[in-house]
Amino acid sequence: ELKVEQNPLFLSMQEGKNYTIYCNYSTTSDRLYWYRQDPGKSLESLFVLLSNGAVKQEGRLMASLDTKARLSTLHITAAVHDLSATYFCARPGGNQFYFGTGTSLTVIP
Amino acid sequence: GAGVSQTPSNKVTEKGKYVELRCDPISGHTALYWYRQSLGQGPEFLIYFQGTGAADDSGLPNDRFFAVRPEGSVSTLKIQRTERGDSAVYLCASSSTRTSGVFYFGPGTRLTVT
């Protein structure tokens, strides 16, 4: 069974700090996607990682993919309040995407 | 250009009633997906359309759920004899191979069955 697991599920961090969210998946994939969801809103695409070793950066967020370890990370640098949201990783499989359970991030001033 | 739109944004219905949820994908996107998201969970796959046909409906929980996309654009998710457990946010997404398979999600329809 294909599984996508994220940790932590909940993350509370102070502004200015760094942290990493982890996404593990159970079977090999050369693609991994990250989405952001604000409360009551839909999902917004953040990163598309298309190969082993891929690294993408946008502002204070950086995502990477290690297909051999079946692991993707989302690193937050010098967090700001605007980053508070739920972050999902998703792995394609067959005709669908399999989403992780999400990491709810709260950045405290 | 316009993104994925869904109507209604909220739907409250009584147990046992029939509901229809509509999705209007991004123009030109041939792939359309329905997902369901329960509180505190990630989206769960329901059904995938490529053009007019349902290419994969393996995520539909039971035969009370049905979806159509008659002209390869707008899709309607239909739920018969609704149950309280059907309460969730129903998300529609569309994608194109030109966008590396990225899903573009609509705002969702929050369904509440009382």
Side-chain angles (χ1 to χ4, degrees):
Chain A
E1 182 187 351
L2 198 159
K3 289 185 178 179
V4 181
E5 295 181 338
Q6 290 181 235
N7 71 85
L9 299 183
F10 298 94
L11 176 57
S12 181
M13 57 191 298
Q14 287 189 314
E15 279 190 334
K17 298 293 187 183
N18 305 332
Y19 208 84
T20 300
I21 298 170
Y22 297 89
C23 173
N24 292 274
Y25 49 94
S26 59
T27 57
T28 302
S29 175
D30 60 358
R31 294 185 174 209
L32 198 289
Y33 298 72
W34 284 96
Y35 285 83
R36 167 181 172 145
Q37 187 175 37
D38 290 292
K41 306 289 186 182
S42 193
L43 286 84
E44 172 191 352
S45 176
L46 287 176
F47 297 109
V48 179
L49 303 169
L50 298 177
S51 62
N52 185 41
V55 177
K56 294 279 184 74
Q57 182 161 5
E58 180 73 32
R60 300 173 188 274
L61 299 177
M62 183 172 72
S64 65
L65 178 61
D66 181 342
T67 58
K68 293 189 173 74
R70 298 196 293 269
L71 170 69
S72 181
T73 61
L74 181 65
H75 187 73
I76 303 151
T77 302
V80 292
H81 180 68
D82 285 353
L83 292 179
S84 296
T86 299
Y87 294 85
F88 291 95
C89 62
R91 176 215 183 279
N95 295 313
Q96 60 169 293
F97 275 21
Y98 292 84
F99 284 82
T101 49
T103 296
S104 177
L105 171 66
T106 302
V107 181
I108 303 166
Chain B
V4 179
S5 61
Q6 292 185 245
T7 55
S9 56
N10 279 285
K11 177 70 177 178
V12 180
T13 190
E14 291 180 349
K15 178 175 178 293
K17 299 289 188 183
Y18 168 82
V19 296
E20 290 190 351
L21 313 179
R22 176 188 166 111
C23 171
D24 206 331
I26 293 172
S27 178
H29 281 191
T30 56
L32 184 147
Y33 305 80
W34 284 97
Y35 276 76
R36 178 167 71 173
Q37 187 176 25
S38 300
L39 192 64
Q41 300 294 317
E44 293 179 314
F45 171 75
L46 294 176
I47 188 169
Y48 157 59
F49 287 90
Q50 183 62 249
T52 60
D56 185 345
D57 64 358
S58 61
L60 295 178
N62 51 59
D63 61 7
R64 295 187 297 106
F65 288 74
F66 189 69
V68 296
R69 194 186 185 198
E71 297 177 359
S73 178
V74 171
S75 176
T76 304
L77 178 66
K78 308 180 180 193
I79 310 173
Q80 298 177 320
R81 305 183 304 279
T82 51
E83 299 177 357
R84 292 195 181 88
D86 299 335
S87 297
V89 175
Y90 288 81
L91 296 167
C92 176
S94 68
S95 75
S96 165
T97 53
R98 294 167 295 168
T99 57
S100 301
V102 172
F103 282 19
Y104 294 88
F105 281 89
T109 294
R110 181 174 298 277
L111 175 65
T112 304
V113 182
T114 61

